[in-house]
Amino acid sequence: MSKRPIRILVAKPGLDGHDRGARILARCFRDAGHEVVYTGCHQTPEQIAAAALQEDVDCVGLSCLSGAHKHLFPKVVQLLREQDAGDIVVIGGGIIPKQDFPVLYDAGIKEIFTPGTPLPEIVDWINEHVVPGREL
Amino acid sequence: MDIVEKVGNGDVRAVARLIRSVEDRIPQAREAMKELYPLTGNAFIIGLTGAPGSGKSTLTDSLIAAFRKQGKGVGVLAVDPTSPFSGGAILGDRVRMQRHAEDPGVYIRSLATRGALGGLCAAVDDAVHILDAMGKEVIIVETVGTGQSEVDIMNNAHSVALVLTPGMGDEVQTMKAGIMEIADLFVINKSDLPGGQKLYQELLRVLQMTENYQSGWQPPVLMVQNIADPRAFAEKVEGLRDAFWEHRAILISKDLLKEREKRKLSVQFHNSLKETLLDPIIEDLTRSGRLDASLERMLAKEADPYTLAEELAGEYLRK
Amino acid sequence: MYFAKELLEKCSSLRKKWEDQVKKILSRQGERKERFSTVSDHDIKRLYSPEDIKDLDFEKDIGFPSQFPYTRGLHPTGYRGRFWTYRMFSGMGTARDTNQRWHMLLQNGQTGLSTAFDFPTLMGLDTDSPKALGECGRCGVAIDTLEDFLLLVDRIPLGEVTTSMTINPPATVLWAMYCAAAEKKGVALDQIGGTIQNDMLKEFIAQKTFMCPPEPSVKLISDTIEFGARSVPRWNTVSISGYHIREAGSTAVQELAFTLRDGMEYVEDVVRRKGLHPDEFAPRLSFFFNAHIDFFEEICKMRAARKIWARVMRDRYKAKEERSWWMRFHTQTAGCSLTAQQPYNNVIRTATEALSAVLGGTQSLHTNSLDEVWCLPTDHAVQIALRTQQIIAEETGVANTIDPLAGSYFVEQLTREMEEGAWEYIERIDDMGGMLAAIDQGFPQMEIADAAYRFQTQIDSGEKVMVGVNKYVTEEAEECPLLDIDEAVEQGQLKRLAETKRKRNDRSVRTSLDDLRRACKKGENVMPVCIEAVKNLCTVQEICDVYREVYGLYQDPGLF
């Protein structure tokens, strides 16, 4: 049996539409051999959690550039946990000041990537921390 | 509760996991599929096919709404191509359907072709069964839209709609031999674009020439336009939904549904049989190095592929 | 361009000599890299000489300022008469907070206002919408009703200062508020001046702040253009924007081409839908470009932009008035060129970008603040950014003469390459059936995504350099003070909104919204009813909900 591909949901919660980073990441994950479910902009945490569940993804990558990450990111983690899907790895990126990191880590965001992070660094992190597929 | 029971109860997490396991070809998944099979056979399976850019996902989105309006539970399988270079894929069809994400009556799953020949991924058959077993009354399968998948989808669906867009008028003639014949319904999307009328006329002409298409069913051609007016668009798509139901009614009344099911099963059984027989052989040959050795021999003209295949098949069958 | 035969001959022989010298050097030691290109990956040669531009036509390609095709600028005296407008984009927190920042900027010598709205407002939502939770006042000012707007323009002389508002899907609503506010302050509509961005096509292409589908979105824009032409003659009803296209990762040529093709789409729609002649509205179309980090490429892009637009308006749309041929544009330095790492370097980036905008002949300019990559700028950072413009204007002497770079072999040749590249795109989009059709096919979106991805891989490989990001990286983080938007802002705004909703007349609210719905369905111009609706304290969201109901919602095609 060949290696199971990692499935990643790339989503933009909140109201900002700056999807340059999210789109670049989606391509980059595809080129790294992952299956990327892309849900586009303006997603509510509820929509994101529902999509993550239906798609059986291993990882959710959130991108937010509007400054509302402190509210939106933890909400996604909370919703996943409520639906028995706390094992899905949630990571975040965008314009996120250092001072907000502790709040996000405490809320269960596993890693935060800020502007200027090289793509290979993100891919390496995922390959190291995300396990594709769960036991049936 | 075991996974099949959970699927039968419509548990989203269980359904998602089982589809994933089927895709990833986890051995236990096959066991689950065996157990799940009796639960299937209730859903109305629709295929949506057409070239990339013809607006299939937007139509699917509106079809979901149209079926939901009738209170039907809807499952969607949206297939996107796997990159031949990396093995990865971007599954972007879902973007256009996200307004249904939170509706518990709707389950949407994106699938990558994963190198399956024909574009339609190997796991679609099983995924359809799973959605059927979870109780979805209507299952929409949206294809990649290129190549062989157009034909393959017929094996997975009861009713197939081919989505066309204006500007393909001249191509309809040449298409007639292939995908034209598999469609039960034709949708001209964006029909208000230049060339919409021409495509419509051309399509009617070709369909008239296609004799004895199917007893009692003349494939309708639906024009869908004016996406700028959401209500008008929704109404058009409701018309499409009704056409699907009509087709289903005809299939049932003429006892054709059973025939289609049989055809669907035949292909599936074929594949399953091949897989069961062939996969272990290929695996064994690969692992033992005999596959490569055989190829070398054929390259050196020491053996021919026909005899070699016969010999190996005989050997494994005896085992 | 005319060069005497003798000169070209001389040039050719000197060139041969130089080329030999180059060869000799190269045989010993290569250049810094194999290939030299702009930040947009546009090839740049080792040297430009008279031979490059010998077939340019002086009159048709370069000419004089204020003369067709305006390559050298619109105004006969350039910046000698008057500098460009210092227009700093600002808005944060509540209307009152932003009003304070505005007064601070005016006291510091700013000459025009520019409004940043928060995301709920930008998306046509109220602060009390569940979708708006956590967003209030973060990226701009929160406006729900006319009452907020009146606070925003408190003590601002609307008859004197011009105000730009970066607002797109709900542009009709915010502009209606401005009109209503002016009326309340006793300023006539033909006295107010300013700009609404109101450019939806670039939203579908790049910035993705969209609400209704493209076709009705363009209809609403045509409504504003028509209303402006008839009743608010000093207002720029659309700011056709390349800025966001560039920020999404496009090349300079793509920015140029898509922006101009968007503009053409608007012109065509107004002519077709409203039956206006281009001369009745074209003078009020304005543009908005990005000043990115590649100095010459940006200058040439702006020179080419004026030239193409003049030709399009005169030859394609048969505009007769010179003002219709003018491309007037605002510029903002490139947000995407700033780095979170070593943020003080951003001051230098912004300064060179601002300089390119000035040499490109911009009408107004926003300079980014050094901390904007992290959050809304602090007062101090904004002041440095404003001072950057003032130093360029009043110390460097670059504004002493008009278009000082004209005639440079390189600049003229690159201007031509920008122009030709843009025309190629424009013609491709024409062939697709226009910008709406191209957007439907995902063409501009995909072109930009490809360019953005290419740039990112060039950064990752080190082929392109961003100082502090992939070269000259320092270990210890360099911090700068950040502006924090207090959580209390949202609570306060929610309270204000609830208060307004309680005290307003519900029946006139309903009547207004019904009138608007009727106007939408009949295809009438929505502006007059929209102004009535905001006066009756309908909220931004209530009005936009009518649009959403009648016109539907746009879904991103999600193409890759």
Side-chain angles (χ1 to χ4, degrees):
Chain A
M1 195 173 58
S2 56
K3 207 172 143 276
R4 303 179 74 170
I6 292 176
R7 280 174 73 87
I8 303 184
L9 182 80
V10 174
K12 278 191 59 55
L15 299 176
D16 86 276
H18 302 101
D19 59 357
R20 176 176 178 169
R23 295 181 69 103
I24 286 179
L25 272 182
R27 283 183 177 218
C28 155
F29 292 151
R30 175 194 61 195
D31 293 349
H34 308 325
E35 288 183 358
V36 187
V37 180
Y38 182 73
T39 57
C41 330
H42 312 148
Q43 297 289 299
T44 62
E46 286 79 7
Q47 284 176 307
I48 293 169
L53 246 60
Q54 292 177 15
E55 298 285 356
D56 195 48
V57 294
D58 309 302
C59 176
V60 174
L62 302 172
S63 162
C64 177
L65 285 81
S66 77
H69 50 268
K70 270 196 284 187
H71 165 73
L72 295 165
F73 290 6
K75 182 82 185 166
V76 172
V77 176
Q78 182 205 328
L79 287 165
L80 288 174
R81 285 180 180 164
E82 281 170 16
Q83 294 170 87
D84 192 25
D87 53 326
I88 297 178
V89 176
V90 180
I91 56 176
I95 301 190
I96 299 165
K98 274 259 158 24
Q99 67 214 40
D100 294 349
F101 281 25
V103 187
L104 297 176
Y105 287 138
D106 285 350
I109 311 296
K110 286 288 183 308
E111 191 57 276
I112 297 155
F113 298 100
T114 49
T117 312
L119 296 177
E121 198 177 310
I122 304 176
V123 170
D124 287 347
W125 190 93
I126 292 204
N127 287 334
E128 201 172 308
H129 293 87
V130 177
V131 183
R134 293 161 198 83
E135 290 295 304
L136 192 59
Chain B
M1 213 188 310
D2 83 328
I3 182 101
V4 174
E5 209 174 329
K6 281 185 181 168
V7 169
N9 288 336
D11 179 329
V12 169
R13 198 90 221 271
V15 168
R17 270 197 192 164
L18 186 53
I19 295 181
R20 176 77 178 281
S21 307
V22 158
E23 269 191 299
D24 291 351
R25 315 187 70 153
I26 304 298
Q28 300 94 298
R30 206 177 163 93
E31 294 308 309
M33 290 309 294
K34 289 180 193 170
E35 209 185 310
L36 179 132
Y37 187 72
L39 300 178
T40 65
N42 305 308
F44 177 27
I45 304 158
I46 286 171
L48 218 55
T49 185
S54 55
K56 294 187 296 286
S57 296
T58 308
L59 271 181
T60 305
D61 171 65
S62 285
L63 266 178
I64 298 172
F67 283 114
R68 289 300 292 146
K69 222 172 154 182
Q70 298 182 321
K72 302 291 175 197
V74 183
V76 175
L77 297 171
V79 188
D80 267 321
T82 291
S83 156
F85 305 107
S86 69
I90 296 180
L91 312 169
D93 294 333
R94 196 188 174 93
V95 178
R96 270 155 292 184
M97 309 170 198
Q98 266 301 81
R99 65 173 163 140
H100 304 291
E102 288 176 77
D103 179 350
V106 179
Y107 180 96
I108 302 168
R109 178 63 153 78
S110 318
L111 296 157
T113 53
R114 297 214 179 160
L117 286 174
L120 202 57
C121 65
V124 168
D125 286 340
D126 290 337
V128 166
H129 281 323
I130 295 167
L131 296 188
D132 191 346
M134 91 180 280
K136 293 296 176 228
E137 293 152 288
V138 178
I139 297 169
I140 305 172
V141 181
E142 185 189 318
T143 64
V144 177
T146 46
Q148 183 62 23
S149 66
E150 320 284 333
V151 179
D152 276 358
I153 194 173
M154 181 174 56
N155 303 318
N156 285 292
H158 300 140
S159 292
V160 176
L162 174 62
V163 186
L164 301 164
T165 44
M168 349 182 29
D170 299 329
E171 292 146 51
V172 169
Q173 268 294 351
T174 51
M175 280 173 6
K176 160 177 95 167
I179 53 175
M180 294 293 289
E181 277 150 19
I182 67 157
D184 306 298
L185 295 94
F186 293 85
V187 181
I188 301 182
N189 201 13
K190 310 174 190 177
S191 62
D192 44 349
L193 288 180
Q197 271 306 322
K198 187 174 168 238
L199 178 60
Y200 181 70
Q201 297 301 339
E202 186 69 7
L203 205 50
L204 286 185
R205 211 172 57 76
V206 170
L207 285 174
Q208 272 161 7
M209 285 172 8
T210 318
E211 282 169 55
N212 275 340
Y213 165 75
Q214 208 172 47
S215 44
W217 178 254
Q218 177 62 41
V221 181
L222 287 95
M223 307 264 268
V224 177
Q225 76 262 4
N226 203 5
I227 195 161
D229 182 345
R231 270 162 316 162
F233 185 72
E235 271 169 34
K236 289 280 179 195
V237 175
E238 280 165 26
L240 175 61
R241 171 202 65 196
D242 296 340
F244 275 120
W245 285 128
E246 265 172 57
H247 183 237
R248 181 175 169 82
I250 293 262
L251 287 179
I252 292 172
S253 71
K254 305 254 172 188
D255 220 21
L256 287 165
L257 194 63
K258 211 176 124 196
E259 217 168 274
R260 290 211 171 193
E261 280 287 345
K262 217 164 153 184
R263 187 179 62 196
K264 174 162 141 26
L265 267 176
S266 146
V267 174
Q268 203 179 343
F269 184 58
H270 237 83
N271 289 338
S272 187
L273 204 58
K274 254 194 217 156
E275 206 176 285
T276 317
L277 283 173
L278 211 54
D279 283 6
I281 298 181
I282 299 280
E283 209 174 297
D284 192 52
L285 287 173
T286 313
R287 208 180 17 229
S288 64
R290 280 180 76 191
L291 184 66
D292 199 53
S294 305
L295 291 173
E296 288 293 341
R297 283 180 60 205
M298 288 183 269
L299 258 180
K301 306 286 177 203
E302 294 164 17
D304 68 275
Y306 315 101
T307 317
L308 214 51
E310 279 171 18
E311 280 173 18
L312 286 174
E315 181 189 325
Y316 276 97
L317 277 175
R318 273 192 303 277
K319 276 190 197 167
Chain C
M1 193 98 106
Y2 176 74
F3 290 109
K5 199 163 152 261
E6 298 78 41
L7 187 142
L8 286 172
E9 276 164 9
K10 186 79 196 163
C11 186
S12 169
S13 79
L14 290 174
R15 160 186 289 283
K16 283 204 185 78
K17 207 166 145 198
W18 170 71
E19 277 171 353
D20 287 343
Q21 288 167 320
V22 168
K23 238 180 246 158
K24 221 164 28 191
I25 292 261
L26 288 183
S27 67
R28 285 202 305 268
Q29 183 188 3
E31 290 175 317
R32 284 183 286 112
K33 47 190 177 181
E34 287 282 300
R35 178 175 165 253
F36 289 75
S37 64
T38 66
V39 72
S40 305
D41 216 25
H42 186 90
D43 280 311
I44 297 295
K45 298 203 297 181
R46 184 174 291 120
L47 184 81
Y48 294 79
S49 70
E51 291 156 306
D52 288 293
I53 60 167
K54 65 178 190 293
D55 54 344
L56 282 183
D57 182 310
F58 177 76
E59 189 189 350
K60 281 189 187 142
D61 291 314
I62 303 171
F64 273 76
S66 77
Q67 290 177 13
F68 189 90
Y70 311 102
T71 312
R72 305 199 63 186
L74 304 176
H75 201 272
T77 62
Y79 297 133
R80 286 168 67 106
R82 188 178 152 276
F83 289 124
W84 60 93
T85 306
Y86 309 145
R87 198 186 289 284
M88 303 297 282
F89 185 44
S90 63
M92 79 285 197
T94 62
R96 209 184 292 274
D97 298 334
T98 302
N99 179 263
Q100 267 173 21
R101 166 80 51 102
W102 281 6
H103 283 290
M104 181 277 276
L105 286 166
L106 289 172
Q107 276 154 22
N108 273 283
Q110 171 161 288
T111 44
L113 295 171
S114 174
T115 326
F117 295 101
D118 70 355
F119 270 107
T121 310
L122 290 173
M123 289 294 290
L125 299 171
D126 290 341
T127 306
D128 60 2
S129 157
K131 285 193 163 194
L133 210 60
E135 307 256 18
C136 176
R138 293 226 163 257
C139 277
V141 57
I143 301 288
D144 292 318
T145 68
L146 181 62
E147 301 225 307
D148 298 326
F149 203 92
L150 286 168
L151 280 181
L152 179 68
V153 295
D154 185 37
R155 294 175 294 122
I156 304 284
L158 298 188
E160 294 158 35
V161 176
T162 60
T163 309
S164 163
M165 293 194 283
T166 297
I167 190 78
N168 293 286
T172 49
V173 190
L174 275 299
W175 192 32
M177 285 184 182
Y178 201 96
C179 295
E183 226 174 279
K184 277 205 193 282
K185 287 170 160 251
V187 183
L189 287 188
D190 58 6
Q191 291 308 304
I192 58 172
T195 306
I196 38 176
Q197 193 166 80
N198 200 25
D199 168 15
M200 281 310 297
L201 292 176
K202 66 96 172 51
E203 296 297 340
F204 301 112
I205 295 172
Q207 191 175 233
K208 318 289 167 83
T209 303
F210 41 60
M211 186 167 88
C212 301
E215 208 272 342
S217 298
V218 172
K219 185 265 175 190
L220 287 177
I221 293 165
S222 290
D223 280 0
T224 58
I225 294 176
E226 181 187 43
F227 186 75
R230 303 228 149 102
S231 312
V232 201
R234 287 179 58 207
W235 200 277
N236 301 314
T237 34
V238 50
S239 170
I240 306 155
S241 307
Y243 183 80
H244 320 80
I245 292 174
R246 196 65 179 282
E247 289 290 302
S250 84
T251 66
V253 167
Q254 287 167 353
E255 178 193 353
L256 185 56
F258 298 157
T259 308
L260 295 189
R261 194 58 190 74
D262 285 348
M264 291 157 70
E265 202 72 29
Y266 296 134
V267 171
E268 289 171 20
D269 194 78
V270 174
V271 170
R272 190 173 49 230
R273 199 189 294 268
K274 304 291 185 183
L276 294 181
H277 187 275
D279 285 328
E280 291 179 88
F281 64 89
R284 280 294 155 193
L285 301 176
S286 64
F287 287 81
F288 174 20
F289 287 111
N290 193 305
H292 212 296
I293 195 72
D294 200 292
F295 191 69
F296 289 106
E297 186 172 47
E298 295 307 277
I299 296 166
C300 297
K301 175 187 79 187
M302 293 172 198
R303 296 175 88 242
R306 273 191 298 269
K307 199 170 158 188
I308 301 173
W309 188 247
R311 200 149 285 157
V312 162
M313 289 313 294
R314 190 189 70 176
D315 301 343
R316 188 161 173 163
Y317 300 120
K318 312 290 177 219
K320 298 275 177 294
E321 308 239 358
E322 242 192 303
R323 292 183 71 92
S324 305
W325 306 340
W326 289 1
M327 159 171 285
R328 295 168 305 126
F329 63 91
H330 172 70
T331 306
Q332 178 170 338
T333 55
C336 64
S337 72
L338 303 189
T339 63
Q341 298 78 0
Q342 307 175 28
Y344 289 97
N345 296 345
N346 293 331
V347 175
I348 294 96
R349 293 191 178 96
T350 297
T352 61
E353 291 167 358
L355 186 58
S356 73
V358 168
L359 291 171
T362 193
Q363 268 64 49
S364 62
L365 181 60
H366 165 97
T367 30
N368 289 325
S369 301
L370 68 104
D371 50 359
E372 268 181 276
V373 69
W374 285 118
C375 60
L376 293 182
T378 57
D379 279 347
H380 183 232
V382 172
Q383 202 174 65
I384 294 173
L386 176 60
R387 294 286 181 256
T388 303
Q389 294 196 39
Q390 290 161 336
I391 290 167
I392 290 172
E394 302 183 46
E395 292 185 14
T396 66
V398 295
N400 286 342
T401 187
I402 306 167
D403 190 27
L405 295 179
S408 147
Y409 312 126
F410 174 45
V411 168
E412 294 302 352
Q413 173 59 14
L414 190 56
T415 301
R416 164 158 68 180
E417 287 171 18
M418 293 286 121
E419 187 189 355
E420 285 172 356
W423 272 117
E424 238 170 76
Y425 267 121
I426 290 171
E427 280 159 14
R428 262 174 95 175
I429 295 168
D430 287 343
D431 289 342
M432 290 178 189
M435 199 41 128
L436 287 179
I439 288 172
D440 186 54
Q441 292 173 35
F443 173 71
Q445 298 97 305
M446 298 284 281
E447 288 290 303
I448 295 168
D450 287 345
Y453 193 56
R454 191 166 61 234
F455 180 72
Q456 186 60 47
T457 52
Q458 287 172 332
I459 289 291
D460 287 341
S461 73
E463 191 183 335
K464 295 260 181 259
V465 172
M466 279 179 101
V467 170
V469 173
N470 65 350
K471 205 171 181 182
Y472 312 115
V473 178
T474 42
E475 280 309 317
E476 75 276 23
E478 186 183 305
E479 305 276 349
C480 62
L482 300 179
L483 182 85
D484 196 30
I485 301 293
D486 197 335
E487 307 273 344
V489 165
E490 185 161 296
Q491 291 314 314
Q493 185 63 22
L494 283 169
K495 230 169 94 190
R496 280 183 50 76
L497 177 58
E499 178 69 17
T500 306
K501 279 187 174 172
R502 204 174 37 112
K503 72 170 191 207
R504 67 186 181 172
N505 181 332
D506 284 338
R507 186 188 299 175
S508 43
V509 167
R510 260 198 313 277
T511 313
S512 294
L513 295 175
D514 287 342
D515 289 346
L516 180 66
R517 191 174 292 112
R518 205 168 306 123
C520 287
K521 285 185 179 167
K522 282 190 182 160
E524 291 166 359
N525 194 316
V526 299
M527 278 312 296
V529 275
C530 212
I531 293 175
E532 274 313 297
V534 300
K535 281 188 194 159
N536 286 325
L537 298 179
C538 293
T539 67
V540 171
Q541 176 163 356
E542 285 164 344
I543 295 175
C544 289
D545 279 344
V546 173
Y547 295 150
R548 283 184 271 254
E549 177 198 324
V550 179
Y551 300 133
L553 285 178
Y554 179 72
Q555 307 280 343
D556 187 280
L559 298 167
F560 278 88

